[in-house]
Amino acid sequence: AQSVTQLDSHVSVSEGTPVLLRCNYSSSYSPSLFWYVQHPNKGLQLLLKYTSAATLVKGINGFEAEFKKSETSFHLTKPSAHMSDAAEYFCVVTGTGGYQKVTFGTGTKLQVIP
Amino acid sequence: GAGVSQSPSNKVTEKGKDVELRCDPISGHTALYWYRQSLGQGLEFLIYFQGNSAPDKSGLPSDRFSAERTGGSVSTLTIQRTQQEDSAVYLCASSLGIVRRAGNEQFFGPGTRLTVL
């Protein structure tokens, strides 16, 4: 069984300040973890992914995430928020077994205040 | 090559009518997923295809919903006797679907916005 919990449904930050979007997961297998972003009226786009290589993963647009097995977390961070980062962010877990079931978190809406 | 495409982009229908939503995955992608995203909600998993078979249909909300995939490519999601609560954006995604390989990224289509009046 696997699940994903995004701890915050909404996060609001000022432009230029750090961003932290939290994600915790559970999985019976060694998981793969992803962050996707969805801008208003746009499709879902992959930000970054973890697949058991380096635990600190760098993605597009300055985002990165760290896989912490002991904490079962995969939090998304960015040092300095930009107005264009305002969007909804989804944490996703998949297994690596015969069926790669995909489980999405409920999403976190990021608001960036000028 | 082309990404995942979905048609129609918008569909308005009357309650009780049947609708068909189409998804064309990226060529060579064996895994295909359907999701539903209601206004202000996250993604709700509906069904997963590996090739033409559907090992996981657990997300289909009722027997009014069905899906098929032919030739390991195009998939159709059919909703019979539509209800107002079916109104949502229906998203399709595909991935390489290589078994025992980690990190198969999903590529999403633009979605079909379904409105049931």
Side-chain angles (χ1 to χ4, degrees), chain A residues 43-66:
Chain A
L44 280 146
Q45 179 185 19
L46 180 70
L47 266 182
L48 50 80
K49 67 180 181 182
Y50 164 78
T51 59
S52 78
T55 56
L56 182 62
V57 181
K58 294 187 184 298
I60 61 172
N61 301 334
F63 283 93
E64 61 182 38
E66 186 171 7

Side-chain angles (χ1 to χ4, degrees), chain A residues 60-73:
Chain A
I60 61 172
N61 301 334
F63 283 93
E64 61 182 38
E66 186 171 7
F67 174 72
K68 292 187 177 180
K69 186 175 181 178
S70 61
E71 299 177 10
T72 60
S73 69

Side-chain angles (χ1 to χ4, degrees), chain A residues 32 34 36 38 41 43-46 49-52 88 90 92 94-102 104-107 109, chain B residues 33 35 37 40-43 45 48 50 55-56 58 91 95 97-110 113:
Chain A
S32 294
F34 305 77
Y36 285 84
Q38 187 176 34
N41 300 314
L44 280 146
Q45 179 185 19
L46 180 70
K49 67 180 181 182
Y50 164 78
T51 59
S52 78
E88 188 158 20
F90 293 94
V92 179
T94 74
T96 54
Y99 164 32
Q100 296 196 354
K101 184 176 176 68
V102 179
F104 272 74
T106 51
K109 287 186 178 170
Chain B
Y33 305 78
Y35 298 90
Q37 187 173 31
Q41 303 295 313
L43 266 71
F45 166 80
Y48 156 73
Q50 180 63 41
D56 190 348
S58 62
L91 291 167
S95 74
I98 298 173
V99 172
R100 298 189 189 86
R101 171 177 164 176
N104 281 314
E105 172 190 351
Q106 290 188 306
F107 294 82
F108 283 83
R113 184 176 297 278

